[in-house]
Structure formats: structure tokens, C-alpha cells
Amino acid sequence: MAAAMQITELLQRVHVGDQQALHTVIPLVYDELKKLAAGHLWRERQARPLETTALVHEAFLRLAHGQHPSYENRAHFYGIASRLMRQILVDLARARATEKRSALQEVQLAEIPDLGGQPDESLLVMDEALERLARTDPLKVQLIEMRYFGGMTAEESATVLSLSVHVVRRELRLAQALLHKEMAG
Amino acid sequence: MNIRIEELFHELADLSADERARYFVERDVDQDTRREVEALLACDSGTSAFLLRDISNAASRALPQIEPEGWRCGPYRLLDVIGRGGMGSVYLAERADGEVTQRLAVKVLPHGAGDPERERFLQERQILASLTHPNIARMLDAGHLDNGQPFLAMEYVDGKPIDVFAAGLTMREKIALFRKVCAAVGYLHRNLVVHRDLKPSNILVTADGEPKILDFGIAKILDLATDKTRTGMRMLTPDYASPEQVTGGRVSTATDIYSLGAVLYRLLTGKPPHAITFGKNACDRLMLRNQDESNVFFGHETHCRERVILGTDGPQGFRLCGKDLF
């Protein structure tokens, strides 16, 4: 596939700040992540806990298609995927919250297990807090996305953001405290 | 974010409480700044654990909703989700093996479904396999995926829910349409099948006006010895569910008759049959509502409705209905 062959080149262009390349990569990564999540669930009858990190890494392996992009390109990929992972999860949580509201007409009898689970209030609260934080400090939000939605190491984040590892660790710690405070209201 | 507060946070993050207090005094930090930094430091511990937990919980809840678009299911390729329920999603699908061009509806047991759901799914397939009626969506195929998930392929009904379709019809046309549905339900009952979930969204009408009954996900084969079966564990749509389903009583063919009455009410009045929230005395209210609103109907239609509503009382009602409507 053309898309698979291009990904390393696209990432290289993202690395040097090419916005056009970024806009080409985003839908590719988004689709791959969703497809993988679906495939994962489709195959595994026993649903094991889902790790977004594993999905992000698998998406990379598939899109890279046997090629071995540089460490920098891979870090960039994870950076993009982290943001998209957050978007996917929040979109789904929001859709489900809406579904739940419209399902108020339906009465649920006690015996049936709710296959859908509970609404993802905590994720939506987190998302709103991140949005507020992003207005004053987008870098910190990026650090949180990379660490928690993409499972990136401090070294990988440092590469993508052109920061020292020390600064990444320090800022992430502060970002976490700020988010925690923001979520606590 | 105040730069000074950030700097203080970094400076103090790894110090003990005593050391922090001393720092504030030595550097002559004002009270407001101190309070803000301390609030931030209080949020420092254990943060990563709660973030990871929330995200991982959210992921394992949210991601199963992603539909496997383009996935192969036996000889079929899934194209789009056309319905989703506790008992699995229904997809618009096409034949992907090149034998013939065909569009159909494929229903797959969701991954992670428990044994009771699996059993019910297999039963639904079995029930559908035994039915042939122009107003009941036909089953076309059944199979298993490699991982053991069963699926079934059905006729794809490109239609509108009966209440939507009927909105523009005359009273006489509505009754004629409804009679076709009754005929199909009569066929089900003669084959000892109770649908148990009759409602407008499960009765689609094609462009040429043929109603088709869908979704036998909670249908039951009647026990011959008693002609009754126990209400299953399930989601109910209160507007169309019978009192015995709400209270967990025994269901019979009269259960479907009750739902037909509710559907008819909807068709004739355009209103949901009972826009009420279920409480302790739900069934009482349900029946009271029916009595209160009996004057909504007129002429021949009142006659129909009375017979249908009598279905709430059990087998006797069914007999009356059977005579007048089927």
C-alpha cells in the first residue's frame, strides 16, 4: 500500500516541521488505531485489559510495514498517536454518554449484565481539565498525552519536543499535579 | 500559570514538609503564593497512578464500541453498523467471495459474551431457521468465526420503522398494514414462537409497503406442556412491554398481543403508548392509562383496540384477538 510505504518519509517531513505531512499522517494513524482496537477485540474472546500503549506501538509496526524508520521518526509517530488515542477515547466516551441519555426510555431489569459498562465520566472530566490546561500551557498537555495515552518514555517525548530528558521529567511531574488539581476542581 | 509558582514547585517537590516550611520563610514567600504552591504540591503524589487507572478503564470500556468495519465474517464483508444491542451488533454486509453479489444483514455475537448470551444467540438462529413468512425477515445463512463466535446472516430489510412509515397513511391503510403484522405474529404463534420484543423499530416496512418483523434476539419457543414461558433477563422497552414482562411474570402469546396493541396505539394516535417512567406500580398505571384513553379511538378502530388490549389478561385475550385480527 502506498500509505504504508510513505509513512517513514511522511514522518521525516513531520520531523522537520512540514504541516502538510502532518495532515496526511493524522488520518492514517487515526484509522489504523481504530482498526487495530477493533481487530484486537474481535480476535480476543476473553477481553483482556486494553492497553492503549500496546495499540499505539502495534499501529506503528503495521504502518511502517517492515521498514525501520529512525528513532526520531518513531518518536514523532508516537507523539501523533498519543493525541489521536485521546481523541478516540473521548469521542467514544462522549458518544456513549449520549447513548445512555437517550436510553433512559429503556428499563433495565436487574439480572442482565450491562455489557456496555458505566459511562466514562472520569475520562470526560479529565478531558475537560486538559482542555482548560491547554489554554495556558499546551506543552504540559502534550506531555501528559504522550505519557498516558501513548505510553511514551521521557526520552521519546524529549526527542519529539526537542527538550532535554530532565526538563521533560520535571515538566511532566508539574503537569500531573496541575491536572490533578484542575480535576479536583 | 505563574512562572514563580512553577519554579517553587520544582524547587520544593522533593523536600520534606519541614524543609518546605523553612524555604518559604527564608525566601520570604508571600502567603498567597505559598498557599498556591502548597495546593499544587498536595496534588503531586499518586497522580500518575490515578491517571493511568482512569485512562485504562476508559479505554477498556470505550474501545469495544469500535466497529470492525471491513472485517470478514465467513463469506461476508461487514460494511456498516445498522443496529446495536446487548445481544450483538447487526451489520450491513455483502458477499465477499465473489460467488454472487448480495447484500444482507449479518449479526455477530459480541466478543466477550457470556454463556447465557451465547445460548440465546444460538437459539435465535434456530428459531429463525424454522420460520418462513413473507412478513418475517428470513435467515439466509449461519456460521462460526475461527475464534468460535457464531454469526447469522439475514435478509437485509431496507425499510422504515412502521410508525414512521404509517405517519402519512390513512386510517384504513394503517389498519391494513397492521393486519399484515398481525398475520405474521399469528404465524409465529402457530409455530409456538413468542417474539417478546414487538415494537415499531423491530417492524420495518419496505418501500412497497410490506412489513417485516425483525430481531428475534429474545424470542422464545413456547413450552408445549404449559403454553407459557418465563420472562427472560433483558432490556425492555417499557412503552411496548407487557405488564407480565415488567413484573417478571410468565409470558405467553398474549405478551405479543399486548405489544401489538401498543404498536397499534402508536400507529393510530402518533403518540408513544405510555410515556411514563416505571415505578413500583408501573403495571397498574399502564392499564389505567389504557382505560383512560379508550375514547381516543373511534369506529371500527375502537373495536380492534379493545380486542387487542384484552390481550393483557392472558390467553383469553389472545383467543379473542386471534379471531378478530389474525
Side-chain angles (χ1 to χ4, degrees):
Chain A
M1 267 201 317
M5 290 188 295
Q6 283 172 8
I7 193 85
T8 46
E9 195 200 323
L10 283 168
L11 288 170
Q12 181 56 42
R13 281 159 57 189
V14 169
H15 185 43
V16 296
D18 182 342
Q19 285 297 310
Q20 196 58 46
L22 185 63
H23 288 141
T24 314
V25 168
I26 284 173
L28 284 179
V29 180
Y30 188 92
D31 286 350
E32 192 62 32
L33 279 175
K34 280 192 86 162
K35 215 187 302 163
L36 274 176
H40 171 89
L41 294 154
W42 199 244
R43 287 189 305 268
E44 306 281 328
R45 211 174 119 59
Q46 285 301 334
R48 51 189 163 89
L50 254 165
E51 287 188 11
T52 56
T53 313
L55 284 178
V56 168
H57 287 225
E58 202 180 333
F60 176 72
L61 289 178
R62 288 174 56 117
L63 282 174
H65 215 63
Q67 296 179 50
H68 299 283
S70 66
Y71 179 80
E72 285 77 14
N73 284 347
R74 199 166 58 204
H76 273 286
F77 179 88
Y78 292 158
I80 295 165
S82 303
R83 160 66 51 88
L84 294 175
M85 201 68 231
R86 172 184 165 200
Q87 199 180 317
I88 290 172
L89 292 183
V90 169
D91 287 350
L92 288 167
R94 210 169 273 146
R96 201 220 309 272
T98 313
E99 232 169 67
K100 287 269 164 182
R101 274 196 294 281
S102 65
L104 280 179
Q105 285 280 318
E106 305 229 317
V107 172
Q108 190 189 348
L109 294 190
E111 300 107 307
I112 192 161
D114 182 359
L115 293 174
Q118 296 302 307
D120 305 294
E121 290 304 333
S122 56
L123 183 75
L124 294 179
V125 169
M126 183 192 301
D127 184 61
E128 281 163 22
L130 285 171
E131 279 306 312
R132 285 196 296 274
L133 203 53
R135 272 178 233 143
T136 52
D137 213 332
L139 175 72
K140 290 197 175 64
V141 172
Q142 228 175 337
L143 285 168
I144 286 181
E145 285 173 347
M146 288 176 167
R147 171 70 187 87
Y148 291 102
F149 289 94
M152 291 169 71
T153 62
E155 286 77 9
E156 285 164 344
S157 294
T159 304
V160 176
L161 300 168
S162 308
L163 295 170
S164 76
V165 176
H166 171 69
V167 170
V168 165
R169 290 219 169 90
R170 234 173 57 135
E171 291 297 303
L172 180 62
R173 185 172 179 181
L174 176 57
Q176 285 170 186
L178 281 168
L179 178 64
H180 196 180
K181 190 159 163 269
E182 190 70 44
M183 285 176 72
Chain B
M1 186 74 203
N2 190 320
I3 298 291
R4 175 141 163 80
I5 289 170
E6 293 203 7
E7 278 166 6
L8 286 170
F9 176 89
H10 293 314
E11 289 291 329
L12 297 171
D14 291 320
L15 301 184
S16 71
D18 284 349
E19 287 166 328
R20 286 175 186 178
R22 210 175 308 132
Y23 187 100
F24 284 125
V25 176
E26 280 168 11
R27 306 290 164 104
D28 198 19
V29 177
D30 68 86
Q31 280 303 313
D32 284 351
T33 309
R34 177 171 176 172
R35 215 171 297 125
E36 234 179 289
V37 174
E38 279 175 337
L40 204 50
L41 286 165
C43 290
D44 182 43
S45 61
T47 321
S48 60
F50 101 87
L51 284 178
L52 278 180
R53 192 200 54 220
D54 280 359
I55 292 171
S56 134
N57 283 349
S60 40
R61 285 199 217 109
L63 292 177
Q65 295 177 85
I66 298 177
E67 299 295 343
E69 200 182 308
W71 219 269
R72 278 288 287 265
C73 185
Y76 311 105
R77 184 185 301 118
L78 308 184
L79 302 175
D80 199 6
V81 191
I82 49 181
R84 185 164 23 209
M87 295 304 127
S89 296
V90 182
Y91 305 89
L92 173 64
E94 65 182 6
R95 232 188 137 94
D97 58 6
E99 292 285 341
V100 286
T101 306
Q102 187 182 23
R103 290 212 146 187
L104 20 72
V106 168
K107 184 171 177 179
V108 192
L109 184 74
H111 84 95
D115 288 341
E117 287 87 27
R118 187 182 189 79
E119 204 176 298
R120 207 170 305 146
F121 190 91
L122 296 178
Q123 177 167 293
E124 177 185 5
R125 298 201 314 187
Q126 193 49 56
I127 287 173
L128 277 173
S130 68
L131 301 174
T132 317
H133 190 278
N135 300 112
I136 295 171
R138 266 177 315 147
M139 185 171 94
L140 300 170
D141 195 4
H144 279 85
L145 302 179
D146 291 344
N147 67 4
Q149 276 172 269
F151 68 85
L152 71 91
M154 287 169 292
E155 168 186 6
Y156 170 60
V157 180
D158 184 9
K160 290 181 179 146
I162 191 166
D163 56 334
V164 177
F165 184 90
L169 299 183
T170 65
M171 196 62 77
R172 192 166 294 277
E173 286 167 333
K174 285 178 185 175
I175 296 295
L177 183 64
F178 184 70
R179 278 174 178 274
K180 285 187 177 176
V181 178
C182 289
V185 174
Y187 169 83
L188 285 181
H189 291 177
R190 282 195 300 282
N191 284 280
L192 302 175
V193 173
V194 194
H195 185 283
R196 301 202 297 180
D197 200 14
L198 292 170
K199 55 185 176 185
S201 59
N202 282 340
I203 308 168
L204 296 188
V205 186
T206 60
D208 52 359
E210 280 305 309
K212 299 267 188 184
I213 298 178
L214 314 171
D215 195 358
F216 286 69
I218 60 161
K220 260 287 213 262
I221 299 173
L222 286 175
D223 182 335
L224 276 175
T226 60
D227 191 21
K228 279 174 179 174
T229 181
R230 177 136 325 256
T231 304
M233 316 168 282
R234 48 160 309 217
M235 294 284 285
L236 287 175
T237 310
D239 283 353
Y240 299 94
S242 66
E244 62 270 24
Q245 284 174 294
V246 175
T247 55
R250 295 188 86 82
V251 300
S252 66
T253 47
T255 302
D256 283 349
I257 305 303
Y258 181 92
S259 303
L260 281 177
V263 170
L264 179 60
Y265 180 95
R266 169 88 210 195
L267 296 190
L268 298 185
T269 67
K271 289 190 291 190
H274 319 93
I276 56 165
T277 312
F278 276 95
K280 194 160 134 267
N281 297 318
C283 300
D284 297 345
R285 270 193 279 164
L286 213 54
M287 286 193 268
L288 275 176
R289 289 287 283 250
N290 284 330
Q291 282 162 10
D292 288 349
E293 292 175 2
S294 57
N295 58 353
V296 167
F297 300 105
F298 47 91
H300 178 67
E301 284 70 54
T302 311
H303 174 72
C304 286
R305 188 195 135 268
E306 278 171 353
R307 292 292 186 263
V308 173
I309 298 300
L310 279 172
T312 55
D313 295 335
Q316 200 193 354
F318 170 56
R319 196 167 45 76
L320 287 168
C321 273
K323 199 175 79 185
D324 288 334
L325 281 169
F326 286 174

